[in-house]
Amino acid sequence: MTYDNLKITIQQAEDILFNLFQIKGKASALPGEVDFNFRIKVENSEGYILKISRPDEDEGYLDFQQKLLQYVAENGEDLIAPKVVSDKAEKAIATIKDDFGNTRKVRLLTWISGRVWNSVNPL
């Protein structure tokens, strides 16, 4: 598989966002170690972070992350953390096929204002 088969463009991210979550927003790429991450800006809202996995990512690992965030939202009253946003089918993790036929997992979280991790020094 070539790198070109892995990339997600800003336009693709915006289309995925609308198709899965019925949200129109302006995407901008964010750094990511594993996922393709996009900052989503929408009017009258803090916005979101759209996370699109690389092909065939372990869904168990992603499910753990989602459940951890859901637990914090329900039990961590003093903690500031993103909230999981379900797709239009009420799923915390959506599945898509990209333009090359690869299976990808998609997650949407609320945006927490602050500095992006890769801009913090030292890392």
Side-chain angles (χ1 to χ4, degrees):
M1 179 179 305
T2 66
Y3 182 72
D4 287 340
N5 290 17
L6 298 178
K7 287 192 241 182
I8 298 290
T9 67
I10 287 175
Q11 184 61 57
Q12 288 170 321
E14 291 173 356
D15 292 345
I16 291 167
L17 175 73
F18 185 75
N19 291 336
L20 292 177
F21 300 94
Q22 298 296 294
I23 295 172
K24 281 195 170 271
K26 180 76 175 135
S28 56
L30 293 171
E33 187 175 331
V34 178
D35 296 320
F36 290 92
N37 299 308
F38 297 89
R39 165 78 159 100
I40 304 297
K41 291 186 179 180
V42 294
E43 285 190 39
N44 303 317
S45 170
E46 285 289 319
Y48 304 93
I49 181 167
L50 181 69
K51 301 177 75 59
I52 303 170
S53 74
R54 294 189 182 275
D56 302 315
E57 181 68 40
D58 178 14
E59 188 169 358
Y61 175 66
L62 300 177
D63 186 54
F64 170 77
Q65 291 178 32
Q66 296 297 86
K67 286 182 177 167
L68 180 61
L69 287 172
Q70 289 168 325
Y71 178 84
V72 168
E74 294 168 9
N75 301 291
E77 59 247 9
D78 293 334
L79 297 176
I80 297 171
K83 293 182 178 28
V84 173
V85 179
S86 296
D87 70 4
K88 64 185 180 184
E90 299 298 318
K91 293 182 180 179
I93 302 173
T95 302
I96 62 164
K97 289 277 188 189
D98 68 17
D99 293 344
F100 298 97
N102 299 311
T103 299
R104 308 247 191 169
K105 304 300 181 190
V106 180
R107 298 172 290 149
L108 187 66
L109 307 173
T110 57
W111 179 261
I112 303 294
S113 293
R115 289 173 56 196
V116 178
W117 279 106
N118 82 325
S119 70
V120 176
N121 192 4
L123 292 178

